[in-house]
Amino acid sequence: MMKIREAPFALRVTRRSGGLAGVVYRRSSGKNGYDHLHRIAGLSAVAFSAGRLLLEKGNLAVNGSRKLQPGPFMPLDADWGARIACYALLAAGLRNPERMLTASQHFMQADGAEAAWWLGRLTRAEDSRTIRSLRILVEAVE
Amino acid sequence: MNASTSVRKSCKPRREVLEGPLSDAMFGAEFGTVINGTAPRIYQDAKTFFANTHPTSTLKKITHHVFSTLVKDESGRALRLSTGFGGGKTHALIALWHLARNTSGRNIGTELLSAEDQPAKMKVAAVDGAALGADKTTHPDLLTHSLWGEIAYQLGGKKVYDIVASYDDPYSVPDNQVIANILGSEPILLLIDEIVVYMKALDDRARNSLQVFFRKLLTVITTRNQAVLVMTDPAAQLAYDEEARAIESVIRKLDEELSRKVSDYEPIGKEAAQIISRRLFEKVDSSIAEAVATAYHELYNRVDSETGASLPKAVLSEAYKKEIIYTYPFHPRLMETAQNRLGPLPTYQKSRGTLRLFARIIRDIWSTKVETPIITGADVNWDNEDIQGDLLSRLDRQEFSGAANEDIGRHARNLDKEPKTDMHTRVASALLLESLPATDNAYLRREEITQICIRPQDAGNEPGEALDRLLSVCWYTYPTISGDAYQFKTEANVNKLIEEGLASNVVPESEAAQQIHTVIERYFTGATFSLKRWPETPGDARDEEKTLSLALCDSVERAVEVVIHSRKDGDEAQPRAYRNAIVAIAPEPSLFKQAIDHARRSLIAAKIKKERKDPQIRKQLGNIQPKLEKLYRISAVRAFNQIIVYNSEPRTLEEKYLVSKDETLFRGTDGQGKIMDYLYDKGLALKSTIGLDPLIVVDKLVPAATPSTTYKGAVSCAAIVDQAYRSSSLKLIVDLEPIRKGIEKAVLSGNLLLRMGDGRVYDDQGCIIGEKGRRQRREDLLTNFPLSENTFVAPTSAPCADDWLHVDEVIPGEEPGPPPPPPPPDQPVYADNWQQAREIARKQELLEGTLKTNDLEAAQHLLAVVQPLSAQTVRLSIALSGDLKDGGYLNFSLELVKPEHALKPLKKAEEFIRNLRPEYDFEAILTLDFRTGEGETRRPNTEGSLQQAQAQADDRIQVEFKFSPLE
């Protein structure tokens, strides 16, 4: 099982008023050069619920358990981390759970390297066209 | 007897149709067996044969031509019987054979030939090519080796045979004189069947000899009197006999040879229905036939007028009514199917095949006691092994056994169970019969299905509806590419692919459940409840009072736990405090399972659509997928019908609170409304319009609420609200209005005192107001108050009550009244004109500003006015309303948009104004924000900027500026 110090990505499950929610982190160096897990995006209760299968699958692949519960960081590997981070970024601000579910299903089948490429584009400077394109590609929007 | 009389009552089948083996020999007349006396009785015995034979007009004509030639000493002639297998050729030959052999029995075959037309004495020779040996045919006293040897032997035994004995081999054709000698001078009839079969057994040289023989034979016959040759058409066999095609050129030559000298006849003509009816039934009640035809004529016209284009136009005519009478007890469409659809199949054998099939159908109807007014394709019982064998094995259509067994035997019958009917089986049976040719045009249109399957007692739409249901479950049904007709095919369709997908778990249940979760979340989204999504433990659903929550749960057990407990870890459980703030909804297990099944089907269909490009599959999916999707959504929503509130058993939502099963406009987002309706109707939630009973407030809520530390014996309104959410004696709290009203009633009834944050105290007499030392009573009654921490209530007996109700004496000459409250020290300063703003700007920082105008022209000038002020942000709001010139009303409003927004707000307003009557209302507000980031100093020379701005402005622009508080 991967330790959190080794993990390139991590997921933290939180408890919110609307149900379980989450935050996705990625390991990167801060201003002082230290390596830390930095917050990439939050998963609202709706996004968490719709993307639950994706999150469970990622958790199962890395930690050997499907169970998602509030508490410590759950390490994620580079592939699943990229997929989940992409999902979290594009689900932010969306409201239709069915669309989010479709998007999460696309990410479940997406290649890890491809997801990493998209994540790179999404986390670069503000680029609304990238997120819009990805949302269209994974059918998160009509 | 009437139109609904079953064929079982109006008709009497022949004994051999109902009993005993329905062997091929019974329906397939073989001339050879009749010649040698080994045929079944119905063919061998002349009397029985003619009793079973319908005298078609063509058959009458043939017998007339043949026997008039023989009787009247006319010159000889040759007749060729056309049509392929099953056209009645052999039957005609047998009839001629019996008539020729029974010249003494004058009462036989009189329907075909009157007694006086029969010759007193004649010779007959009959040859069945199928029974003739290629190089020898055995007789008791000798062997013949050629067709001419055989004819000679039959005409006169060994004596005549000896004439041709020296030519009796397949290669030595006798000359014309020898042939004439063989035939002799008596009236003579030669009957030859299946000559192609005989030719197939010969070598090329012998075939050429045979051709020469026929040429000579025809010459001899046509040049003498009282001689007739009747033979079946060799060319017709080419279409049905693969082997015959190998010798096609020889057959063609022979056919051409015959064509020069023969007359053609088609024995059956258009009287197949009568032949079949006569052959299979002893008696058919014609009065019932007429009544049934009338009933169907009326039925078709009724259905057509009521449902429009659901029937072929041809069936509405009087002519079709006559056709029904003509074909009764069979439906004309069944005759058409048998002859035109099945007839062309190589192994079907037209009349014989039809006879055999119809005999099996009749036997099945009589044995299963089915009541049907007329026999149609829908009455074919595919469960009957003999019928299935006849239609599938014999016709080499075993690939359709899946359709017969799975779709008719299982799917259609399952659909027939609920509600009890037989229409699905009827429709599927008719469709399969029609599809047997397995060609692209072997289909039935929707209206044809109605035509075949409908019965006088039906409303008319049953077959169409049954078809739709069948299409959604059957594994082998296909719509045609054009989409308006349907057929069975041997390849599995989308339904089967979906079934296979289910079996191979292409979409696991977890994925389907997740899909259902999203549908449910969407359905229960709304403003009344805040959702708590799929808590796995009670702790996942926070215990909070702020709003009414709806917990979406996977099971009733979990829902109960969530509603009762706020936390549960093993045996340790903490009861939920805010019990009146939560409702849970959960699925009924069996319905949830069903919904998962539907969801899996829908998801598999979606996957197939992505993967398969086959146009027919896609066409099917186009029909099926939307239905599957709707079905799973509706079944998912309907499955969540268990509602759980605190301290109560799970309740099942009644039908009126659920989405209708066939909801056509299912949008999937009105779940909260339905739950609220249920809660209100069942008295589980407090209605906003009805206040709480004041006694509950006084006796239950106030004593139990957290006491105030400020006023002894009092409690804050917020504490009462908190207690209301916890109280077991209250219902679910949707909003706070009932609590407010309850408190108000308690105050007005003299049970409670209420103190507002500004010191006013209300009781049932009015209000006590004023600062300490100047408190006076007024008659203002309590109307509205906030349910906040600063609003307190206390019983009239509370220790603080005296202090609250204390009234000071009035000092003469001094008007009581509340003094104006001093401004708080950190209050910002406002200026509502340019001059004042400039003065304040000298000392204080400009924070915000608004410029307002009701004039469009001034509004267009606003930006130029504020330009010298250099605000951090400038936002424009516009409100426009008025009557449109050509009727109607316009309301246009934009809030806080950038003035240069792509919508071009002012231009838009100008455009609208042009279309409005002059009495419109217009307001444009420019909002300026001057605040900069933290730590930055005041901007210099604000006063100068304001002065410049003022120079640009005019009276139409009203201003208001906000400055920082006084230092």
Side-chain angles (χ1 to χ4, degrees):
Chain A
M1 221 170 81
M2 188 183 276
K3 290 179 181 168
I4 193 68
R5 286 173 179 228
E6 303 161 348
F9 288 88
L11 169 71
R12 194 162 61 83
V13 180
T14 59
R15 195 170 278 149
R16 297 264 176 81
S17 170
L20 292 183
V23 184
V24 186
Y25 297 85
R26 179 171 62 173
R27 186 170 295 283
S28 57
S29 53
K31 285 178 186 167
N32 53 11
Y34 286 108
D35 233 16
H36 285 302
L37 284 170
H38 287 94
R39 183 182 186 278
I40 296 256
L43 282 162
S44 64
V46 186
F48 189 93
S49 169
R52 190 162 191 130
L53 278 182
L54 170 71
L55 305 178
E56 283 181 354
K57 218 167 170 180
N59 195 26
L60 180 71
V62 182
N63 306 315
S65 160
R66 280 189 177 277
K67 199 163 174 61
L68 298 168
Q69 52 190 8
F73 286 85
M74 294 180 196
L76 293 172
D77 66 13
D79 285 351
W80 284 104
R83 289 183 187 112
I84 291 171
C86 278
Y87 170 69
L89 282 168
L90 74 81
L94 299 185
R95 289 190 303 173
N96 185 336
E98 288 182 65
R99 287 270 163 199
M100 286 191 233
L101 172 62
T102 312
S104 75
Q105 285 166 342
H106 277 289
F107 281 117
M108 269 191 264
Q109 290 154 12
D111 180 57
E114 197 187 348
W117 183 84
W118 277 105
L119 181 62
R121 291 214 56 148
L122 289 169
T123 50
R124 217 175 284 167
E126 256 187 45
D127 184 356
S128 61
R129 284 194 303 172
T130 305
I131 197 156
R132 178 74 188 155
S133 323
L134 185 58
R135 279 176 175 167
I136 292 168
L137 283 174
V138 297
E139 300 176 84
V141 291
E142 280 184 77
Chain B
M1 294 239 205
N2 56 41
S4 60
T5 304
S6 161
V7 291
R8 289 177 51 238
K9 293 198 178 84
S10 63
C11 306
K12 186 179 177 192
R14 294 191 182 279
R15 194 167 54 81
E16 65 268 19
V17 172
L18 296 182
E19 294 168 10
L22 289 171
S23 63
D24 279 3
M26 279 179 65
F27 305 106
E30 284 183 24
F31 193 38
T33 57
V34 177
I35 297 164
N36 63 29
T38 57
R41 187 168 159 270
I42 49 171
Y43 293 111
Q44 194 68 56
D45 178 54
K47 203 171 173 184
T48 315
F49 176 79
F50 286 115
N52 279 282
T53 300
H54 173 74
T56 66
S57 56
T58 321
L59 191 55
K60 279 184 189 170
K61 208 167 156 187
I62 292 169
T63 51
H64 173 73
H65 283 316
V66 169
F67 286 94
S68 67
T69 305
L70 296 175
V71 171
K72 293 177 182 171
D73 200 18
E74 289 176 356
S75 59
R77 62 167 71 197
L79 276 67
R80 179 170 57 182
L81 305 180
S82 302
T83 80
F85 264 126
K89 302 182 301 288
T90 307
H91 204 89
L93 286 179
I94 296 172
L96 292 172
W97 163 259
H98 281 305
L99 289 170
R101 300 256 302 179
N102 292 280
T103 48
S104 55
R106 295 293 170 109
N107 57 347
I108 285 175
T110 48
E111 281 180 302
L112 288 172
L113 187 68
S114 59
E116 58 271 19
D117 285 342
Q118 290 185 339
K121 192 179 174 190
M122 65 176 288
K123 280 186 178 177
V124 59
V127 177
D128 181 4
L132 208 61
D135 56 359
K136 61 178 179 184
T137 306
T138 310
H139 292 287
D141 46 352
L142 56 81
L143 294 176
T144 59
H145 302 280
S146 61
L147 177 62
W148 38 95
E150 178 66 20
I151 291 172
Y153 179 79
Q154 285 200 27
L155 290 174
K158 191 167 182 316
K159 188 177 168 190
V160 175
Y161 173 77
D162 285 343
I163 300 170
V164 80
S166 57
Y167 299 94
D168 190 20
D169 69 75
Y171 310 107
S172 310
V173 183
D175 59 28
N176 288 11
Q177 189 54 53
V178 175
I179 294 171
N181 292 341
I182 296 169
L183 300 183
S185 57
E186 280 182 60
I188 188 162
L189 176 62
L190 298 182
L191 304 169
I192 299 175
D193 193 15
E194 307 283 17
I195 197 66
V196 172
V197 181
Y198 176 59
M199 286 174 79
K200 282 194 296 186
L202 301 178
D203 59 24
D204 285 348
R205 200 176 137 212
R207 283 181 202 133
N208 287 334
S209 301
L210 188 69
Q211 196 181 332
V212 174
F213 169 72
F214 271 108
R215 192 188 307 148
K216 291 181 175 180
L217 177 66
L218 287 169
T219 306
V220 172
I221 284 178
T222 51
T223 51
R224 60 155 282 183
N225 285 359
Q226 293 184 305
V228 180
L229 166 68
V230 183
M231 66 182 295
T232 50
D233 183 5
Q237 199 161 346
L238 282 171
Y240 302 93
D241 192 338
E242 286 288 331
E243 289 177 42
R245 281 182 209 158
I247 53 168
E248 185 176 349
S249 61
V250 186
I251 294 171
R252 294 264 176 231
K253 275 185 197 166
L254 174 61
D255 199 50
E256 283 166 21
E257 202 72 59
L258 295 170
S259 298
R260 292 187 201 119
K261 292 180 179 173
V262 301
S263 310
D264 282 328
Y265 289 94
E266 190 180 340
I268 287 183
K270 292 180 179 173
E271 295 171 77
Q274 275 84 351
I275 292 171
I276 291 166
S277 179
R278 175 81 170 255
R279 175 69 186 81
L280 300 175
F281 291 99
E282 250 179 60
K283 190 200 82 182
V284 175
D285 189 332
S286 57
S287 64
I288 297 286
E290 199 150 339
V292 168
T294 306
Y296 268 85
H297 179 68
E298 284 167 4
L299 166 73
Y300 288 151
N301 281 285
R302 170 175 64 80
V303 171
D304 182 69
S305 63
E306 284 172 5
T307 59
S310 64
L311 283 164
K313 290 293 165 214
V315 305
L316 309 176
S317 65
E318 280 291 331
Y320 198 76
K321 180 181 164 187
K322 285 180 186 157
E323 210 175 326
I324 295 176
I325 298 172
Y326 184 71
T327 59
Y328 184 83
F330 300 103
H331 194 282
R333 177 69 209 205
L334 181 61
M335 300 297 302
E336 196 185 319
T337 304
Q339 292 193 305
N340 300 339
R341 279 278 159 83
L342 305 178
L345 297 178
T347 45
Y348 183 72
Q349 296 181 312
K350 252 183 171 174
S351 298
R352 295 180 205 186
T354 306
L355 272 174
R356 195 172 48 232
L357 171 64
F358 285 13
R360 293 206 189 284
I361 295 174
I362 291 164
R363 182 179 281 195
D364 181 75
I365 288 174
W366 258 256
S367 64
T368 54
K369 298 188 171 56
V370 169
E371 303 294 344
T372 180
I374 194 163
I375 301 168
T376 69
D379 296 306
V380 175
N381 180 6
W382 288 90
D383 288 349
N384 183 314
E385 282 181 12
D386 291 333
I387 291 179
Q388 209 183 107
D390 221 39
L391 288 171
L392 301 187
S393 309
R394 182 184 289 272
L395 300 185
D396 200 18
R397 292 289 185 276
Q398 288 93 332
E399 302 93 335
F400 280 105
S401 57
N405 298 331
E406 294 294 339
D407 284 347
I408 297 178
R410 196 155 66 88
H411 298 131
R413 293 214 187 278
N414 283 345
L415 287 174
D416 278 340
K417 283 179 190 162
E418 189 62 42
K420 195 159 171 44
T421 172
D422 61 351
M423 193 51 86
H424 301 92
T425 308
R426 286 176 65 76
V427 170
S429 300
L431 194 58
L432 181 54
L433 186 70
E434 211 75 22
S435 307
L436 284 182
T439 54
D440 284 345
N441 60 354
Y443 54 69
L444 278 179
R445 293 181 193 282
R446 191 172 280 270
E447 58 265 29
E448 291 171 324
I449 289 174
T450 306
Q451 174 199 357
I452 295 169
C453 301
I454 197 171
R455 287 164 299 195
Q457 68 268 26
D458 295 328
N461 53 353
E462 295 91 342
E465 287 173 2
L467 174 69
D468 288 335
R469 283 190 284 270
L470 283 169
L471 291 174
S472 62
V473 297
C474 284
W475 287 356
Y476 298 96
T477 45
Y478 281 80
T480 55
I481 295 290
S482 61
D484 60 348
Y486 307 90
Q487 63 185 154
F488 272 103
K489 286 194 165 191
T490 51
E491 308 90 45
N493 66 13
V494 168
N495 294 328
K496 178 85 185 290
L497 295 178
I498 292 172
E499 289 294 332
E500 284 171 355
L502 277 178
S504 55
N505 210 20
V506 171
V507 174
E509 283 192 10
S510 58
E511 199 176 311
Q514 181 71 41
Q515 196 80 28
I516 288 175
H517 281 184
T518 58
V519 171
I520 295 301
E521 280 180 34
R522 204 154 170 227
Y523 180 65
F524 286 112
T525 298
T528 312
F529 296 92
S530 69
L531 290 189
K532 296 195 182 297
R533 296 171 179 82
W534 319 109
E536 290 188 350
T537 64
D540 291 343
R542 276 193 201 165
D543 193 6
E544 54 195 354
E545 52 149 328
K546 285 171 200 157
T547 49
L548 190 56
S549 303
L550 178 66
L552 307 176
C553 299
D554 276 327
S555 66
V556 174
E557 295 73 26
R558 186 167 292 167
V560 170
E561 278 192 349
V562 166
V563 168
I564 293 176
H565 303 293
S566 63
R567 192 170 62 79
K568 194 175 183 193
D569 298 319
D571 294 338
E572 277 186 40
Q574 188 174 328
R576 188 164 286 275
Y578 299 108
R579 58 189 66 171
N580 296 326
I582 190 165
V583 183
I585 189 113
E588 192 181 305
S590 62
L591 295 178
F592 190 53
K593 208 172 164 205
Q594 209 175 55
I596 282 187
D597 185 60
H598 290 149
R600 288 179 73 201
R601 283 170 194 276
S602 174
L603 293 173
I604 292 169
K607 277 190 194 237
I608 294 170
K609 196 173 182 183
K610 278 187 181 171
E611 290 162 8
R612 299 282 288 258
K613 304 292 173 207
D614 176 9
Q616 273 213 317
I617 293 279
R618 294 183 78 82
K619 180 95 195 166
Q620 273 190 308
L621 279 170
N623 292 332
I624 289 174
Q625 205 192 353
K627 288 180 193 163
L628 284 176
E629 189 171 335
K630 191 175 135 191
L631 180 67
Y632 107 74
R633 283 169 186 277
I634 289 180
S635 59
V637 169
R638 286 179 62 85
F640 280 73
N641 65 354
Q642 300 294 305
I643 191 159
I644 297 102
V645 295
Y646 193 86
N647 244 351
S648 161
E649 287 293 307
R651 295 157 181 257
T652 303
L653 287 176
E654 292 142 24
E655 188 60 38
K656 71 187 236 193
Y657 305 105
L658 296 173
V659 172
S660 158
K661 275 182 189 170
D662 45 357
E663 187 91 52
T664 48
L665 293 171
F666 178 60
R667 292 177 191 280
T669 51
D670 59 346
Q672 290 202 3
K674 290 196 188 278
I675 298 238
M676 277 320 301
D677 288 347
Y678 177 82
L679 294 175
Y680 282 141
D681 289 354
K682 301 293 170 190
L684 295 170
L686 291 174
K687 283 192 178 172
S688 333
T689 48
I690 302 169
L692 273 182
D693 184 345
L695 289 178
I696 290 181
V697 177
V698 176
D699 296 341
K700 305 269 183 188
L701 300 183
V702 172
T706 310
S708 162
T709 51
T710 316
Y711 303 107
K712 207 169 178 186
V715 295
S716 72
C717 285
I720 291 179
V721 169
D722 184 84
Q723 189 54 38
Y725 276 110
R726 294 166 183 264
S727 172
S728 57
S729 44
L730 287 189
K731 301 168 183 176
L732 288 167
I733 296 168
V734 182
D735 64 46
L736 302 180
E737 210 45 39
I739 301 172
R740 194 191 316 275
K741 283 184 176 154
I743 294 173
E744 190 183 323
K745 280 186 205 168
V747 171
L748 295 176
S749 61
N751 290 312
L752 284 181
L753 303 173
L754 183 137
R755 185 186 176 97
M756 305 273 266
D758 59 3
R760 282 177 290 170
V761 173
Y762 288 90
D763 62 6
D764 57 338
Q765 305 297 313
C767 168
I768 295 159
I769 192 168
E771 63 184 278
K772 200 164 182 184
R774 301 175 68 179
R775 291 180 69 77
Q776 298 298 315
R777 178 173 282 279
R778 289 190 175 184
E779 288 180 0
D780 302 342
L781 288 176
L782 180 62
T783 51
N784 202 3
F785 56 95
L787 293 171
S788 66
E789 289 286 352
N790 294 327
T791 310
F792 295 91
V793 293
T796 46
S797 57
C800 63
D802 287 345
D803 186 37
W804 284 11
L805 295 172
H806 175 75
V807 177
D808 292 312
E809 281 182 28
V810 181
I811 301 165
E814 198 173 306
E815 280 301 311
D826 56 350
Q827 200 78 2
V829 178
Y830 292 91
D832 58 5
N833 60 63
W834 291 103
Q835 189 58 39
Q836 192 183 2
R838 281 167 54 195
E839 283 171 16
I840 298 171
R842 287 177 200 150
K843 296 175 188 169
Q844 285 158 256
E845 191 184 356
L846 179 58
L847 297 178
E848 291 170 15
T850 54
L851 285 82
K852 189 160 74 175
T853 179
N854 298 107
D855 186 276
L856 178 67
E857 193 190 336
Q860 286 163 337
H861 191 54
L862 278 178
L863 274 180
V865 173
V866 299
Q867 194 270 334
L869 297 175
S870 308
Q872 287 296 311
T873 58
V874 180
R875 289 281 187 267
L876 176 67
S877 303
I878 292 177
L880 172 64
S881 58
D883 292 319
L884 287 160
K885 284 176 183 166
D886 47 0
Y889 196 78
L890 178 130
N891 262 324
F892 171 60
S893 160
L894 277 173
E895 293 289 331
L896 299 172
V897 295
K898 289 180 181 172
E900 68 276 11
H901 191 276
L903 283 173
K904 298 191 173 29
L906 284 168
K907 283 208 166 173
K908 203 67 93 186
E910 190 182 355
E911 187 186 333
F912 289 145
I913 286 171
R914 278 200 296 271
N915 288 288
L916 290 174
R917 289 173 189 269
E919 316 74 57
Y920 62 84
D921 292 322
F922 172 75
E923 187 180 72
I925 302 171
L926 211 56
T927 308
L928 313 172
D929 193 338
F930 297 94
R931 277 173 288 215
T932 51
E934 269 183 49
E936 288 189 27
T937 53
R938 198 166 69 194
R939 291 179 313 116
N941 199 18
T942 310
E943 188 193 355
S945 304
L946 283 168
Q947 195 173 4
Q948 284 177 24
Q950 186 184 4
Q952 301 275 342
D954 59 29
D955 294 345
R956 292 173 295 177
I957 299 172
Q958 300 162 38
V959 295
E960 185 178 286
F961 293 101
K962 178 180 171 185
F963 292 88
S964 59
L966 286 164
E967 290 166 1

